[in-house]
């Protein structure tokens, strides 16, 4: 198997885990990542430990990046795209185009592989120009913005004035389960992510009042039931989704919603609103799939994980919403499929 090479497009946790599983079986890997560094979305997440580990999985990303970078069988090309991929005589012939980095000029790298893995991941839903005033009201932030804020030394502050928030709201299912957008899927990760983030905020500042607006809470995932049970003791849960947010003259955010128990609409003010933005497919996924002979996407995601006969495979959230643990499991399964594919070819 030592003469085999695989090209992986995308250096998130899915692409990196596939690369490591293959390299450990002595299959050479070229991994191409369009960003300046590998790791994808998972390396932007913060640790949610509240005294003890809450198994969010974020640190698995850092470990995987370090292991992939150190493995001699993996060539990592950052700030790089596969400019050309051609399938001929049972092999993929490609040209990688790497942008200039630091003191190194731009370059193109030709290569050849027996299989290609598409691990291009997802795009977080962008709520700009939609209800809730994201981009217009500074104290309306997304879950990914909050991840960055949680990493900051001074703790989470209101972007508008730098003050610690007194009343925070999380709004679930933003950009997911929304027929008006044609996004019927549940993004899977954002209930657990919101609860862990909310619990961490509360752990750091017990006086912060947190309300979480939800449709229902998806409780799948490792050990999530216990996180949910603890969250119910610390956070107010409201089973309703506010239609919009309005900024008051004092710069606070007014949310109104219909609560069945209150028999009418309820209105309250908050000073930080976190939108649990879900996963959406990457816009270029159909073109990438077409160039590799993969079936076209269904609702934007590539549900089939490989091309019939040829060596093109799909891994991770390019296939549909999944969290870190499921992406890792999917990548390991796919690595085995590739090994079997090479063995089948003799
Ligand atoms: C706010 C937030 C919180 C989350 N919290 C959790 C959590 O607590 N626990 C959990 O399990 N999961 C969580 N997740 C989900 C987790 O981030 C994903 O499961 C994981 O990142 C999926 O990895 P991936 O490799 O499939 O995709 P990605 O992370 O999207 O990686 C794909 C990579 O491919 C690159 N790429 C794309 N197109 C190309 C191309 N054409 N050429 C080259 N490179 C390309 C991208 O730049 C990116 O680096 C969270 C996500 C968000 C947004
Ligand atoms: S799994 Fe999450 S909570 Fe646990 S140590 Fe890792 S990053 Fe922190
Ligand atoms: S995981 Fe929760 S917040 Fe995310 S889309 Fe599904 S139900 Fe909505």
């Amino acid at each position: 198997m030592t003469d085999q090479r695989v090209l992986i497009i995308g250096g998130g946790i899915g692409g990196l885990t596939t690369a490591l599983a293959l390299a450990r079986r002595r299959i050479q890997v070229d991994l191409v990542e369009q960003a300046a560094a590998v790791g994808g979305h998972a390396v932007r997440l913060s640790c949610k430990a509240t005294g003890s580990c809450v198994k969010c999985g974020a640190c698995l990303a850092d470990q995987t990046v370090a292991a992939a970078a150190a493995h001699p069988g993996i060539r990592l090309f950052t700030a790089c795209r596969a400019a050309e991929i051609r399938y001929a005589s049972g092999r993929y012939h490609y040209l990688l185009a790497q942008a200039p980095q630091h003191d190194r000029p731009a370059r193109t790298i030709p290569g050849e592989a027996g299989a290609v893995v598409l691990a291009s991941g997802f795009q977080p839903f962008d709520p700009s120009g939609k209800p809730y005033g994201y981009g217009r009201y500074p104290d309306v932030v997304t879950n990914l913005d909050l991840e960055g804020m949680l990493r900051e030394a001074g703790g989470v502050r209101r972007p508008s004035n730098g003050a610690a928030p007194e009343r925070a709201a999380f709004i679930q299912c933003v950009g997911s389960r929304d027929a008006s957008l044609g996004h019927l899927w549940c993004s899977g990760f954002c209930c657990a992510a919101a609860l862990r983030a909310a619990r961490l905020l509360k752990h750091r500042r017990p006086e912060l009042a947190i309300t979480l607006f939800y449709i229902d809470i998806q409780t799948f995932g490792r050990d999530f039931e216990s996180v949910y049970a603890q969250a119910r003791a610390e956070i107010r849960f409201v089973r309703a989704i506010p239609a919009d947010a309005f900024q008051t003259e004092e710069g606070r955010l007014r949310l109104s919603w219909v609560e069945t128990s209150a028999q009418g609409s309820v209105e309250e003010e908050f000073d930080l609103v976190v939108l649990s933005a879900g996963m959406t497919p990457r816009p270029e996924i159909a073109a990438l799939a077409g160039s590799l002979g993969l079936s076209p996407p269904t609702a934007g995601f590539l549900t089939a994980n490989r091309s019939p006969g040829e060596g093109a495979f799909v891994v991770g959230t390019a296939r549909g919403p999944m969290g870190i643990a499921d992406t890792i499991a999917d990548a390991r399964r796919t690595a085995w499929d590739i090994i079997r594919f090479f063995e089948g070819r003799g």
Side-chain angles (χ1 to χ4, degrees):
M1 205 86 80
T2 46
D3 59 336
Q4 292 291 3
R5 181 174 294 276
V6 174
L7 170 68
I8 300 181
I9 300 171
I13 189 87
L16 292 168
T17 304
T18 314
L20 271 172
L22 292 170
R24 285 171 180 155
R25 298 282 299 193
R26 292 190 294 129
I27 295 174
Q28 305 289 309
V29 175
D30 278 353
L31 185 147
V32 53
E33 166 57 52
Q34 65 184 8
V38 292
H41 290 100
V43 288
R44 296 170 64 182
L45 309 178
S46 62
C47 173
K48 307 296 182 321
T50 43
S52 58
C53 171
V54 292
K55 300 192 172 70
C56 71
C59 53
L60 295 175
D62 294 330
Q63 291 161 15
T64 311
V65 168
H71 201 293
I74 303 174
R75 296 200 296 175
L76 295 177
F77 298 100
T78 51
C80 193
R81 312 252 316 174
E84 206 182 292
I85 305 180
R86 195 169 42 83
Y87 183 71
S89 314
R91 298 189 69 73
Y92 292 89
H93 306 263
Y94 50 87
L95 200 60
L96 307 182
Q98 192 169 38
Q101 277 183 310
H102 311 296
D103 51 356
R104 207 197 48 222
R107 59 175 180 157
T108 51
I109 306 116
E112 217 180 279
V116 177
V117 177
L118 185 53
S120 54
F122 68 99
Q123 188 162 279
F125 176 71
D126 178 5
S128 308
K130 302 274 189 309
Y132 308 126
Y134 181 70
R136 218 162 7 113
Y137 306 146
D139 295 331
V140 176
V141 299
T142 66
N143 43 0
L144 199 53
D145 297 331
L146 180 67
E147 292 291 335
M149 292 160 84
L150 284 167
R151 282 166 173 255
E152 278 164 26
V156 170
R157 303 263 151 187
R158 294 176 67 192
S160 62
N161 61 6
E166 304 298 327
R167 301 193 80 226
F170 282 73
I171 302 179
Q172 298 304 100
C173 298
V174 174
S176 311
R177 306 178 70 180
D178 186 335
S180 70
L181 296 167
H183 297 180
L184 298 181
W185 56 84
C186 164
S187 289
F189 76 91
C190 20
C191 275
L195 262 56
R196 289 189 179 109
R199 289 201 61 228
L200 179 59
L201 285 172
K202 197 77 187 157
H203 178 77
R204 288 185 183 172
R205 272 190 65 237
E207 65 273 32
L208 172 64
I210 302 180
T211 303
L212 187 135
F213 296 95
Y214 72 106
I215 301 173
D216 48 46
I217 297 291
Q218 294 301 323
T219 56
F220 43 78
R222 227 163 29 128
D223 298 319
F224 184 60
E225 278 295 352
S226 70
V227 172
Y228 187 28
Q230 285 156 345
R232 291 199 84 89
E234 298 163 348
I235 296 162
R236 176 169 72 140
F237 284 76
V238 173
R239 194 169 198 165
I241 298 288
D244 209 343
F246 299 94
Q247 191 170 273
T248 65
E249 280 178 12
E250 297 75 38
R252 305 192 83 217
L253 297 156
R254 185 179 300 134
L255 298 178
S256 61
W257 65 95
V258 178
E259 223 172 290
T260 19
S261 55
Q263 291 182 336
S265 116
V266 183
E267 203 171 83
E268 283 182 24
E269 287 178 11
F270 298 86
D271 44 25
L272 185 72
V273 171
V274 181
L275 307 179
S276 282
M279 290 187 184
T280 63
R282 294 194 69 91
E284 72 277 21
I285 195 97
L288 273 169
S291 70
L292 297 175
L294 291 156
S295 311
T298 311
F301 292 105
L302 297 172
T303 42
N305 78 331
R306 61 184 291 184
S307 60
E310 297 171 9
F313 297 80
V314 191
V315 150
T317 51
R319 298 182 55 206
M322 55 182 98
I324 293 168
D326 286 339
T327 302
I328 289 173
D330 187 47
R332 289 184 178 149
R333 251 191 323 267
T334 304
W336 276 111
D337 286 348
I338 296 169
I339 290 163
R340 275 196 294 271
F341 169 75
F342 283 150
E343 285 171 351
R345 280 188 162 184

